[in-house]
Amino acid sequence: MNRAIGIDLGTSNTVAAVVENGRARILPNGEGERLTPSVYAETGDGRRLVGMPAKQRLATGSGDAVASVKRLMGSGRSVMVRGAPRSPREISAAILRQVKADAERELGGPVARAVITVPAYFHHAAREATREAGRMAGFEVLRIISEPTAAALAYGLHRQDLSTVLVWDLGGGTFDVSILELSEGFFEVRAVCGDNRLGGDDWDRRFADHVASRVKAECGVDILGNAQALAQVGMVCEGVKKQLSEKPVARLSLSALEIPLGEGASFEEVMARSVFEEATADLAGRLLPPTRQALSDAGLSVGGIDRVLLVGGATRMPGIRALAESFFQQQPYLKLNPDEVVAIGAAVQAGILTGQIKDVVLVDVTPLSLGIESQGGLFARIIPRNTTIPTSAQELFTTARDDQASMDLHVLQGEREMASDNISLGSFQLSGIPPLPRGQAHVEVSFSIDADGIVTVSAESLQTEEKAAISIDAMHALKAEEVSQALADADTCAQGDLERREQIEASTRAETLIRSVEALVDDPAASLPEDLGRALAAHVALCREVLAQGSALEIRSRCAALKAFLTTLTPDAKGALHETPVEHHAPFGQSGPGPRPR
């Protein structure tokens, strides 16, 4: 039988699971281990290694092994292995290929289908790169789901009670916080937030830097300037960190390593947990802002959370658990294995999709708003963040100049008011728009997001039925760390962004009104009395004066005075005016389509 499995493709470790008889179990790898290190290596004789053999080579610092490539998924960047560039997608595919082989060995038959998890705050390009890695490994990827959502599936599969669950997922390379409602087999994601540049790896590096500074102070050796020595120290520090999760002190010794500390010199120290926590306190503090944002988005306070789940190996650190207990004012749920729960949930989702598990419905959300650039460089949201997926939405846009025959559509993801401050997903052009006066040609822009969080965008001229669409190119996306800053930047810049939007909208509406009035004054068919024409021209001159240097409030006030004067006109004259809401104007380009330079 062609089996379907769930895979947690982690930054530090990868785990696979399968559903059998309605229950999920972890699949051991070829070495009998439940966790496979997400490390890739190439040997001098052309062999490709994955897992523990590759991790052993990583410790040598020789440059033939790489780890933590998950952070680079969808970024367009490569890593060097033995002097040759390798894409994160290619390395992830190699890891998944090894997982597939191990699963087939364990299950005694072909495994061609999989559900693969990603951080909740992975953007479109990173999700698409993960799906492509799965395909390259030989899988039919049934679904890409968020890691916290998978954890909630594993937690709540057989529960009947209603509960609001918050998942703190701190893995090797990313941090996610998700809030879900669980009720009688119905799993609904209320809100997601996170930091794609924060994970257990950062605690390891910070600890290694601390030890390196101690070695330099005591032995006069600069480990930070020696890649091979730093790699070995990093491995030792990772082990000590794990010991400190079990006991308050641990012995750190570098005497067995091939590090030249000087004749007769050695470094040994009894490391206290408190020292480790002090050295990494600022990293722990970064967990709280995304948590507060998720609570705000869900419209909840800390008291509205029934259960807190800790997911990811890094949540084993006592300092993290203490922080969670203090912030949420409750003891976190610790009965789930934080290293395995995401893979279990992914297997549950695979079981749901293949019919092995009945009466369970999973509803996820999109983490960032989606839309296009509109007139004046504004961001026009079409699908707001935290919208339940799969979903689709449409909005009408108009031309921004007379006789405009084409429209450049710049697709964006983010939370800022100005297009240039958001993440560019790509651009495409719609041609064949009828040459009509400004604002009278109508174009419908459609966005859709499938269950994997993958975005497609299309546009159609409603008069000519000409159509165009975009296949989002993952290489146009920004680096993952920039996505994790989107909400923080939006919050910090909210007031300034709102003022800029109001100024641009007021100016654009004023321009539209002024053009309409000028067209009326110049139209012989309107037959305006001479004194009325002079009065209108005077009002227009005042509007243009305030438009050049006035505030949004002053512009709106002056335009209101002009509109009030227009109410004295005859019905025929008023009917000649045409004013289009600013939010329905899409920009036009003089050249081919392309993202606005950032």
Side-chain angles (χ1 to χ4, degrees):
M1 182 176 69
N2 192 339
R3 309 290 288 274
I5 64 174
I7 303 173
D8 173 13
L9 180 61
T11 304
S12 299
N13 295 290
T14 295
V15 189
V18 67
V19 168
E20 295 177 328
N21 301 318
R23 296 279 179 175
R25 72 175 179 93
I26 297 296
L27 294 170
N29 60 24
E31 289 131 9
E33 300 295 332
R34 297 164 75 88
L35 306 182
T36 298
S38 300
V39 186
Y40 170 84
E42 295 180 10
T43 66
D45 58 4
R47 290 184 300 136
R48 297 189 173 194
L49 306 177
V50 168
M52 187 55 68
K55 187 172 183 178
Q56 291 168 348
R57 300 185 74 89
L58 181 68
T60 67
S62 59
D64 60 1
V66 290
S68 300
V69 299
K70 181 176 177 177
R71 283 181 165 179
L72 302 179
M73 291 292 276
S75 68
R77 296 163 59 188
S78 297
V79 294
M80 302 301 291
V81 183
R82 296 191 66 83
R86 297 284 182 262
S87 71
R89 182 174 56 180
E90 179 183 1
I91 292 170
S92 296
I95 295 170
L96 291 171
R97 198 174 294 117
Q98 183 63 53
V99 169
K100 185 175 187 292
D102 289 341
E104 289 176 340
R105 185 182 302 109
E106 171 69 16
L107 296 174
V111 176
R113 297 180 293 174
V115 169
I116 305 175
T117 65
V118 296
Y121 230 53
F122 252 25
H123 54 64
H124 164 81
R127 289 172 182 263
E128 183 63 25
T130 302
R131 176 152 52 176
E132 283 300 312
R135 290 172 178 166
M136 291 167 63
F139 284 113
E140 175 192 350
V141 181
L142 299 176
R143 187 69 54 86
I144 299 290
I145 68 169
S146 299
E147 291 162 3
T149 304
L153 276 174
Y155 162 76
L157 179 61
H158 299 290
R159 294 178 180 270
Q160 298 300 317
D161 55 314
L162 170 66
S163 60
T164 301
V165 175
L166 185 143
V167 182
W168 248 24
D169 184 356
L170 183 61
T174 59
F175 170 65
D176 286 319
V177 53
S178 296
I179 300 173
L180 302 93
E181 289 282 357
L182 280 60
S183 176
E184 297 179 353
F186 191 83
F187 293 72
E188 180 179 5
V189 180
R190 292 276 302 275
V192 296
C193 199
D195 187 337
N196 278 357
R197 297 298 293 178
L198 181 66
D201 288 354
D202 298 289
W203 271 258
D204 293 343
R205 276 192 289 270
R206 180 65 60 78
F207 192 28
D209 290 346
H210 172 78
V211 171
S213 66
R214 297 282 300 119
V215 170
K216 185 174 183 179
E218 290 198 12
C219 306
V221 177
D222 185 8
I223 294 176
L224 293 176
N226 185 324
Q228 185 175 356
L230 189 59
Q232 294 182 52
V233 170
M235 295 291 286
V236 172
C237 288
E238 182 185 2
V240 172
K241 180 195 73 171
K242 292 178 179 178
Q243 293 180 47
L244 290 174
S245 293
E246 303 295 331
K247 50 189 179 181
V249 295
R251 179 170 295 279
L252 189 149
S253 174
L254 303 182
S255 58
L257 302 183
E258 298 175 1
I259 300 174
L261 300 181
E263 186 176 353
S266 64
F267 183 84
E268 290 193 10
E269 189 171 281
V270 175
M271 191 67 63
R273 181 189 293 166
S274 59
V275 173
F276 170 77
E277 292 178 351
E278 182 179 352
T280 57
D282 62 310
L283 298 176
R286 286 171 57 186
L287 300 174
L288 298 183
T291 304
R292 294 190 181 99
Q293 183 65 57
L295 287 167
S296 175
D297 290 343
L300 294 171
S301 65
V302 168
I305 301 300
D306 298 314
R307 181 61 53 88
V308 176
L309 307 184
L310 299 187
V311 175
T315 60
R316 294 182 185 276
M317 291 184 286
I320 300 303
R321 295 186 172 187
L323 178 64
E325 183 173 356
S326 172
F327 181 80
F328 294 109
Q329 301 173 23
Q330 62 173 280
Q331 180 74 32
Y333 187 77
L334 303 176
K335 295 181 181 179
L336 298 173
N337 185 322
D339 292 311
E340 300 177 353
V341 62
V342 170
I344 292 291
V348 169
Q349 177 65 13
I352 294 169
L353 295 176
T354 57
Q356 294 174 275
I357 296 176
K358 310 289 187 181
D359 302 323
V360 176
V361 178
L362 172 63
V363 181
D364 211 338
V365 298
T366 179
L368 291 175
S369 299
L370 292 156
I372 69 168
E373 180 177 353
S374 65
Q375 189 176 19
L378 296 176
F379 176 44
R381 291 173 177 81
I382 295 179
I383 297 181
R385 68 183 300 266
N386 282 327
T387 296
T388 298
I389 60 174
T391 189
S392 62
Q394 301 79 37
E395 188 164 333
L396 285 180
F397 289 82
T398 70
T399 49
R401 61 179 173 87
D402 295 337
D403 301 322
Q404 182 178 334
S406 65
M407 185 180 289
D408 291 345
L409 294 114
H410 184 189
V411 183
L412 301 157
Q413 184 179 40
E415 301 306 318
R416 300 289 297 277
E417 297 298 330
M418 303 304 298
S420 60
D421 294 325
N422 289 301
I423 301 164
S424 173
L425 295 182
S427 294
F428 66 110
Q429 187 176 72
L430 175 67
S431 302
I433 299 174
L436 297 173
R438 175 181 186 264
Q440 294 189 21
H442 296 137
V443 171
E444 184 178 69
V445 178
S446 300
F447 275 65
S448 66
I449 311 177
D450 65 17
D452 295 328
I454 306 303
V455 182
T456 57
V457 187
S458 63
E460 178 181 3
S461 170
L462 298 188
Q463 283 95 343
T464 65
E465 297 187 353
E466 289 288 328
K467 298 180 180 179
I470 187 172
S471 176
I472 301 289
D473 183 354
M475 295 304 102
H476 283 172
L478 301 183
K479 296 188 290 295
E481 59 266 28
E482 294 180 89
V483 181
S484 64
Q485 290 298 315
L487 284 181
D489 290 345
D491 183 60
T492 301
C493 305
Q495 185 60 37
D497 284 355
L498 183 59
E499 291 172 358
R500 291 174 69 191
R501 173 178 278 277
E502 289 180 345
Q503 185 75 21
I504 291 171
E505 287 183 344
S507 299
T508 305
R509 291 181 190 276
E511 283 284 3
T512 301
L513 178 62
I514 288 170
R515 291 186 184 204
S516 296
V517 173
E518 288 177 336
L520 176 63
V521 172
D522 295 338
D523 185 4
S527 301
L528 294 178
E530 185 175 344
D531 59 338
L532 180 58
R534 286 197 300 268
L536 281 173
H539 272 286
V540 167
L542 289 172
C543 283
R544 287 211 174 276
E545 180 180 338
V546 74
L547 185 61
Q549 55 189 9
S551 67
L553 180 61
E554 292 169 332
I555 293 171
R556 286 196 296 266
S557 177
R558 175 49 58 189
C559 287
L562 174 55
K563 288 180 180 180
F565 181 76
L566 290 172
T567 60
T568 65
L569 300 182
T570 65
D572 288 343
K574 285 189 286 185
L577 290 169
H578 176 71
E579 184 179 4
T580 304
V582 63
E583 60 268 25
H584 286 173
H585 280 304
F588 63 92
Q590 302 296 337
S591 59
R596 172 189 289 268
R598 296 185 61 84

